[in-house]
Amino acid sequence: MTKREKELEDLFQRWMKKQGEEKGWEKTTVGGREILRIHFTKDGMVDPEAYEVSSCKILVVLKEADIADNKTEEWLKEHMIDDQRYWYREFVNGTIQEGVWTDENGCRKKSDNIPQKESIGRMAYLLQKYTKNQKIDANRPSGKEIQDAVKQVAFMNLNKRGGSQKVNEKVLNDYVEEYKNEIKEEIEILQPDYIIWCAGEKPMGKILEKKNGIEMLHPAAGRYIYRNNEELGFEGNVEKWENYYRELEESQKGAEYLKVSKGVEKYIRVFKSRVEKFNNKNKISC
């Protein structure tokens, strides 16, 4: 176990204890549910060794794990500590076959939410390569390159209790206010070079003293980006974007590629636009 892993584990133990002893916990817990009061979702480095040697340490900040809606009372009782790192490690250890991700048994389960992990990998790939090549297109790496990029990132959920698919923003903001010191400590332990902030503007203002994060929607939200969005890089011209996507599809027919959906493609192009704006002010130096 690395020094950073030990520091994270120590923080998590203190964090869990605080959750269990918190007075007025109902306002920081989705639905005021007792079963969620002491529930804790661990996060952090996907591959600690890969993170340590990475020349560009990237932290992806999310709002909360979606567990309140799709987990039974029995499951929650049996999994009071839920390690979210497992799902990212599963993605890294899977295989790419004919443009599709499959697990180690050759199966692709609907619940795996691959677009989220894929988008994180493509964003990390872009940041890792950006200094040497500012024209880098993160819609074009191979599946293996995406998986390798995911191995080198860390991620964290602000609300460690977990929440619903539709985020209760009031509960989230109250939780962030109550646990902002722990959230800041986790960021300090991870010491990222860059933070991809996918957790909303209001929590961002409470945690980052300066807006030094690159703000994005949730990594699985690319389908909500309009085709005429100017951040796609085509001045709002839908036809130009569609031509680009068709060319992209044609160029990625090899077995080594992970087929990029329209939602992921749009998400990554918006991210590239925001990286360029960020770089104009802060100069990315990985």
Side-chain angles (χ1 to χ4, degrees):
M1 183 178 285
T2 66
K3 178 176 179 291
R4 208 185 305 264
E5 285 179 281
K6 291 177 182 176
E7 290 176 349
L8 272 181
E9 188 57 35
D10 175 69
L11 169 63
F12 291 158
Q13 293 301 320
R14 289 185 279 114
W15 202 328
M16 283 187 273
K17 185 174 185 294
K18 181 176 176 179
Q19 280 193 171
E21 297 174 350
E22 180 191 348
K23 295 180 180 179
W25 58 269
E26 293 88 350
K27 73 174 186 177
T28 61
T29 306
V30 171
R33 294 171 63 190
E34 171 68 24
I35 192 68
L36 290 178
R37 178 175 65 86
I38 55 175
H39 186 270
F40 194 88
T41 53
K42 289 186 177 181
D43 46 39
M45 299 163 286
V46 175
D47 183 322
E49 293 183 2
Y51 187 83
E52 292 298 339
V53 301
S54 176
S55 60
C56 190
K57 291 179 172 55
I58 298 164
L59 170 63
V60 180
V61 180
L62 305 164
K63 290 182 177 180
E64 57 193 19
D66 174 16
I67 63 165
D69 293 333
N70 60 14
K71 302 297 183 185
T72 64
E73 294 283 314
E74 290 73 20
W75 186 94
L76 289 169
K77 288 177 182 177
E78 293 175 5
H79 301 83
M80 294 312 297
I81 300 176
D82 178 25
D83 196 334
Q84 292 281 305
R85 292 169 291 195
Y86 167 82
W87 305 107
Y88 291 85
R89 290 167 181 167
E90 183 184 52
F91 174 78
V92 166
N93 293 325
T95 58
I96 309 298
Q97 297 178 349
E98 301 302 325
V100 177
W101 178 88
T102 61
D103 66 16
E104 293 173 295
N105 298 316
C107 299
R108 180 175 181 178
K109 302 183 288 293
K110 290 182 179 179
S111 62
D112 281 325
N113 198 2
I114 298 307
Q116 175 174 330
K117 300 157 196 170
E118 177 190 347
S119 292
I120 287 174
R122 291 180 185 275
M123 287 191 292
Y125 174 85
L126 189 151
L127 281 176
Q128 290 161 1
K129 305 289 184 183
Y130 190 81
T131 300
K132 293 181 180 179
N133 180 11
Q134 294 187 5
K135 293 183 179 180
I136 190 78
D137 188 343
N139 280 314
R140 297 182 186 272
S142 68
K144 176 74 165 51
E145 288 173 318
I146 294 170
Q147 289 173 305
D148 287 345
V150 171
K151 283 179 68 174
Q152 299 176 54
V153 305
F155 73 99
M156 67 179 289
N157 290 293
L158 296 179
N159 179 2
K160 294 293 193 281
R161 285 188 173 119
S164 305
Q165 185 175 23
K166 182 175 176 56
V167 176
N168 184 319
E169 298 292 346
K170 173 102 174 42
V171 170
L172 175 66
N173 289 324
D174 286 342
Y175 185 95
V176 170
E177 182 63 32
E178 181 69 27
Y179 293 93
K180 62 185 177 184
N181 290 335
E182 286 75 18
I183 293 169
K184 289 179 179 179
E185 184 176 346
E186 181 170 3
I187 294 173
E188 288 171 3
I189 290 171
L190 292 169
Q191 294 183 311
D193 295 303
Y194 299 103
I195 297 173
I196 302 173
W197 189 275
C198 307
E201 186 174 1
K202 190 170 182 179
M204 186 178 188
K206 292 182 179 180
I207 302 303
L208 301 184
E209 294 181 4
K210 296 180 180 179
K211 277 210 164 187
N212 62 340
I214 302 171
E215 192 173 0
M216 287 293 293
L217 296 170
H218 187 279
R223 62 186 182 275
Y224 299 117
I225 298 172
Y226 291 115
R227 294 179 299 165
N228 62 353
N229 188 314
E230 292 193 1
E231 287 187 289
L232 294 177
F234 301 105
E235 300 177 338
N237 189 308
V238 174
E239 184 177 357
K240 287 183 179 180
W241 172 78
E242 289 179 338
N243 289 338
Y244 166 82
Y245 184 75
R246 277 196 294 271
E247 185 275 325
L248 183 65
E249 279 192 309
E250 288 298 316
S251 68
Q252 296 189 336
K253 289 191 173 178
E256 72 274 17
Y257 286 103
L258 181 60
K259 179 177 171 56
V260 59
S261 68
K262 289 183 177 180
V264 170
E265 186 278 328
K266 288 184 292 181
Y267 187 90
I268 296 304
R269 287 193 67 85
V270 168
F271 179 69
K272 173 71 177 294
S273 174
R274 296 187 183 184
V275 167
E276 290 171 347
K277 291 176 183 176
F278 182 87
N279 186 55
N280 288 337
K281 295 181 179 180
N282 304 278
K283 293 300 176 187
I284 291 173
S285 57
C286 281

